[in-house]
């Protein structure tokens, strides 16, 4: 089993993912001036990837804006990861600006608030997840088209910040399957999220309980690159199933 250590070095226009195996797959890490969306079913590791990147940005001297729409931000999970890299979780947590919208309208206000929050001390914006409150709004709205327009506006807010401030935006997103095509995975938000994200990464749960990460879209890398990893207390570790990747 191959232990994947946290790394701090990164190219000028990229930030480390917090995982060496992911950095290798992405040729250095997440790009700064775009939206990256990580999507997959519940328990596939979306939040873990968000936390790994966030913790590394704090270690690099930056603050994190973490928009927790599901109420799933776990201090205990933060403790576990920071313990394995000899960091005080309280010091790390002090550098998180956590927003907790409970409705689609509040989510919009959170994104609008970013214009006042974001400065050169902010190293990353995380939304975990972008889909939760959107789906709730769809379930009670009589005008689906209007809800989709609003989602598009919210993605535009994030895109503008990423481009103008050169701050990476990392979105976690949910998936669903069609009744007639159960073997086909669809990203919630459809084309709005696909077009708004310059990098798309799909997470899957393998039959033996590991996680597969497949690069579906990228500005400069070939799609369909994939790695397999296992979630552990300290984050993630690579497995021998990740053929073609050397982690050291």
């Amino acid at each position: 089993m191959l232990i994947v250590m946290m790394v701090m070095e990164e190219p000028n226009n990229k930030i480390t993912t917090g995982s060496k195996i992911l950095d290798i797959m992405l040729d250095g890490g997440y790009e700064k001036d775009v939206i990256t969306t990580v999507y997959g079913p519940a328990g596939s590791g979306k939040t873990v990837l968000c936390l790994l990147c966030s913790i590394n940005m704090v270690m690099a001297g930056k603050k994190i804006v973490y928009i927790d729409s599901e109420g799933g931000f776990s201090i205990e999970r933060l403790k576990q990861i920071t313990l394995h890299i000899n960091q005080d979780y309280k010091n790390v947590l002090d550098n998180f600006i956590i927003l907790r919208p409970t409705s689609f309208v509040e989510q919009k206000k959170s994104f609008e608030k970013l214009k006042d929050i974001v400065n050169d001390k902010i190293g990353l914006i995380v939304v975990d997840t972008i889909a939760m409150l959107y789906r709730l709004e769809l379930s009670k709205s009589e005008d689906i088209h209007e809800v989709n327009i609003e989602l598009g506006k919210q993605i535009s807010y994030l895109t503008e910040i990423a481009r103008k401030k050169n701050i990476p935006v990392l979105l976690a997103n949910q998936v669903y399957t069609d009744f007639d095509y159960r073997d086909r995975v669809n990203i919630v938000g459809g084309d709005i999220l696909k077009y708004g994200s310059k990098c798309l990464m799909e997470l899957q749960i393998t039959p033996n309980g590991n996680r597969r990460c497949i690069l579906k879209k990228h500005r400069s890398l070939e799609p369909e690159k994939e790695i397999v990893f296992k979630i552990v207390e300290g984050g993630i570790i690579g497995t021998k199933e990740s053929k073609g990747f050397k982690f050291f």
Side-chain angles (χ1 to χ4, degrees), residues 91-104:
N91 291 337
V92 172
L93 189 59
D94 283 345
N95 289 283
F96 276 69
I97 301 169
I98 302 176
L99 305 177
R100 293 187 171 93
T102 58
S103 69
F104 198 51

Side-chain angles (χ1 to χ4, degrees), residues 25 215-226:
M25 188 181 81
L215 185 63
K216 289 294 186 179
K217 176 183 177 182
H218 198 278
R219 291 194 297 188
S220 58
L221 302 176
E222 288 294 323
E224 301 306 321
K225 293 172 65 176
E226 66 176 65

Side-chain angles (χ1 to χ4, degrees), residues 138-219:
L138 281 178
S139 69
K140 63 184 182 181
S141 176
E142 296 180 356
D143 192 342
I144 295 176
H145 180 65
E146 188 62 34
V147 177
N148 284 331
I149 289 176
E150 182 53 46
L151 178 63
K153 289 180 181 178
Q154 293 184 14
I155 297 301
S156 293
Y157 290 145
L158 298 175
T159 299
E160 181 180 358
I161 290 172
R163 287 178 178 174
K164 291 185 176 180
K165 302 293 186 179
N166 202 39
I167 295 176
V169 175
L170 181 59
L171 307 182
N173 200 3
Q174 301 170 347
V175 296
Y176 68 95
T177 55
D178 289 327
F179 181 80
D180 294 328
Y181 302 96
R182 293 188 178 275
D183 59 336
R184 184 183 303 171
V185 173
N186 298 286
I187 182 172
V188 175
D191 289 342
I192 300 172
L193 266 298
K194 288 180 181 178
Y195 293 145
S197 307
K198 296 303 181 185
C199 178
L200 288 169
M201 298 164 58
E202 180 182 341
L203 297 180
Q204 301 174 350
I205 303 175
T206 68
N208 63 356
N210 289 331
R211 307 298 191 271
R212 177 177 288 106
C213 179
I214 306 170
L215 185 63
K216 289 294 186 179
K217 176 183 177 182
H218 198 278
R219 291 194 297 188

Side-chain angles (χ1 to χ4, degrees), residues 31-136:
E31 293 183 296
K32 288 182 179 179
D33 60 341
V34 301
I35 293 176
T36 294
T37 297
V38 179
Y39 63 96
S44 59
K46 300 184 294 293
T47 296
V48 172
L49 297 193
C50 290
L51 287 176
L52 284 174
C53 186
S54 298
I55 291 168
N56 263 267
M57 290 308 297
V58 170
M59 291 168 62
K62 295 291 186 178
K63 292 184 177 293
I64 310 301
V65 177
Y66 202 104
I67 300 173
D68 177 22
S69 69
E70 293 193 357
F73 184 87
S74 170
I75 294 179
E76 186 59 37
R77 192 68 180 100
L78 186 72
K79 282 183 184 180
Q80 291 174 350
I81 296 173
T82 53
L83 178 64
H84 279 73
I85 54 173
N86 297 317
Q87 294 289 316
D88 184 339
Y89 84 93
K90 292 181 180 178
N91 291 337
V92 172
L93 189 59
D94 283 345
N95 289 283
F96 276 69
I97 301 169
I98 302 176
L99 305 177
R100 293 187 171 93
T102 58
S103 69
F104 198 51
V105 172
E106 287 185 11
Q107 180 168 288
K108 175 186 177 182
K109 291 179 180 178
S110 294
F111 292 168
E112 292 174 338
K113 195 180 296 184
L114 292 176
K115 295 177 181 179
D116 298 322
I117 294 176
V118 171
N119 53 42
D120 58 3
K121 294 181 180 179
I122 303 297
L124 176 69
I125 297 169
V126 175
V127 184
D128 186 10
T129 65
I130 190 65
M132 176 70 175
L133 301 176
Y134 164 71
R135 295 180 91 169
L136 288 176

